[in-house]
Amino acid sequence: AKHSNKSTLETTEISQSDETQLNHSYKHGGYKADAYAKSLDFSGETLSLFDSDIESLLYMIEEEKMAKEIYTELYEQTGLSEFEKVASSEGNHYDKLLSVADKFGVDTSSLSVEEGVFISSEIQTLYDTLLQEALLSTESAVSVAIAIEEADIADLEATVDITESVLLGQVYTNLADASLNHLNVFEGIA
């Protein structure tokens, strides 16, 4: 549901040099499935977010962190390069979402940087459950990866539909495109 009251966060002006730097980082994200090649136009915009958008952004940051950490562990367990490549891409997405949060002035200091630790109880439970299931076998690992990407796509698409921010909508659309690419990678080895 959309919230009608703006956050008390101060708005942040994005300079032309910030826009160039952010676009450069999006265009050079690493793994070929990284959909951040699409540039986002932050020039001349005054950025502020509704509370619901801040909550969704923090959730998406943790969701990217969870995927990166699970895929890193699965690469170590299986040796499948697909896990390593997608983990790297998820790490890029995580970093970029943190950068977007910074550009919007969203405080991310409450988020855990400790591996396997999340402030969202929902993501913590998913992490614990999915990792345990994924470590059962290579087949289970691939099945869990497919489930993660399917859930990520669904979450991103739902969030795009309710976000108050056009720019966040662009970010989430790009992430959904990348997740679709990741899904294709995992379905290709299933």
Side-chain angles (χ1 to χ4, degrees):
K2 293 182 180 183
H3 296 290
S4 60
N5 55 337
K6 284 275 191 179
S7 168
T8 57
L9 290 175
E10 293 181 24
T11 58
T12 305
E13 292 287 337
I14 302 299
S15 69
Q16 184 66 33
S17 64
D18 286 339
E19 175 197 357
T20 302
Q21 181 181 4
L22 188 61
N23 285 337
H24 176 79
S25 68
Y26 278 100
K27 290 178 182 175
H28 298 91
Y31 184 55
K32 67 181 181 180
D34 191 343
Y36 274 107
K38 299 174 184 170
S39 68
L40 301 173
D41 184 10
F42 287 97
S43 62
E45 295 284 334
T46 299
L47 302 178
S48 63
L49 295 175
F50 287 88
D51 291 339
S52 60
D53 287 330
I54 292 170
E55 290 169 20
S56 70
L57 180 57
L58 294 173
Y59 184 89
M60 294 302 174
I61 289 169
E62 286 209 307
E63 197 169 64
E64 295 298 324
K65 177 181 180 278
M66 177 193 74
K68 176 191 74 138
E69 291 177 3
I70 287 177
Y71 298 155
T72 299
E73 181 67 29
L74 296 181
Y75 170 67
E76 292 171 8
Q77 288 293 119
T78 67
L80 293 173
S81 63
E82 290 84 355
F83 286 119
E84 180 182 40
K85 290 175 184 174
V86 176
S88 176
S89 182
E90 297 289 1
N92 290 334
H93 299 164
Y94 171 74
D95 292 341
K96 285 172 183 57
L97 282 177
L98 287 173
S99 177
V100 168
D102 183 57
K103 296 296 179 189
F104 277 104
V106 174
D107 180 13
T108 59
S109 64
S110 65
L111 299 177
S112 176
V113 294
E114 185 180 343
E115 189 172 322
V117 177
F118 304 90
I119 62 167
S120 165
S121 60
E122 180 183 344
I123 291 181
Q124 185 67 61
T125 299
L126 278 171
Y127 175 85
D128 296 339
T129 304
L130 292 174
L131 185 59
Q132 185 177 21
E133 182 182 332
L135 294 176
L136 295 174
S137 68
T138 299
E139 293 78 19
S140 294
V142 173
S143 293
V144 164
I146 289 170
I148 288 171
E149 295 304 326
E150 289 173 339
D152 199 26
I153 292 167
D155 288 346
L156 288 162
E157 288 175 348
T159 305
V160 165
D161 290 342
I162 63 168
T163 185
E164 297 283 348
S165 167
V166 172
L167 292 173
L168 269 185
Q170 289 177 302
V171 169
Y172 296 151
T173 298
N174 291 350
L175 286 173
D177 290 345
S179 289
L180 182 59
N181 289 334
H182 299 165
L183 178 62
N184 290 333
V185 167
F186 293 130
E187 286 178 339
I189 61 171

